[in-house]
Amino acid sequence: MLEAKTNLSKLVDAVESGRETEIILARNGKPVARIVPIEQPERRLGIAEGEFGTLDEEWFREWQALDEVIWKDVLDARWERFERHSRELEEKYGRKRNKSA
């Protein structure tokens, strides 16, 4: 027990790192306690795996084509707003320049 008390931090590190799966503490040669790692719930990535079909090369090509269509619409709308705004500025300030020239 005295040795465990003195080296508790090292013992916990050994269990935590996986170097030891468990450490048995004894008093007067009789086992009295066990240091074991606490089971952590497994954190899984991809918990929805298989829920949306196979994500293969064909799926990726379809996704890219759809992405291009979506962005084309967004960019076209922004370009139209830019052109409209440019025409409005030209009408507003272009006439004033012509009058002063």
Side-chain angles (χ1 to χ4, degrees):
M1 271 309 212
L2 180 60
E3 184 182 345
K5 213 171 167 183
T6 305
N7 296 308
L8 182 60
S9 182
K10 290 179 185 177
L11 296 173
V12 170
D13 285 343
V15 170
E16 187 177 31
S17 70
R19 285 192 317 263
E20 299 289 339
T21 56
E22 69 176 15
I23 296 174
I24 306 292
L25 303 179
R27 178 178 289 145
N28 300 327
K30 293 185 180 178
V32 294
R34 183 181 350 191
I35 300 175
V36 295
I38 295 176
E39 294 294 324
Q40 298 292 329
E42 185 180 330
R43 293 183 67 191
R44 290 182 37 202
L45 294 178
I47 58 175
E49 189 172 338
E51 295 292 322
F52 302 101
T54 305
L55 304 181
D56 56 6
E57 289 297 320
E58 182 181 342
W59 176 90
F60 186 69
R61 282 192 298 277
E62 289 176 12
W63 180 80
Q64 280 185 316
L66 179 61
D67 192 51
E68 287 175 14
V69 169
I70 291 169
W71 279 108
K72 181 182 180 318
D73 291 345
V74 169
L75 295 175
D76 285 350
R78 286 184 178 222
W79 183 252
E80 287 173 13
R81 281 195 305 258
F82 171 77
E83 287 182 325
R84 185 176 59 244
H85 184 66
S86 295
R87 282 192 304 272
E88 290 169 0
L89 289 175
E90 183 63 36
E91 289 173 7
K92 182 175 181 179
Y93 295 107
R95 291 181 184 160
K96 289 182 181 178
R97 271 192 250 133
N98 290 340
K99 291 180 183 178
S100 62

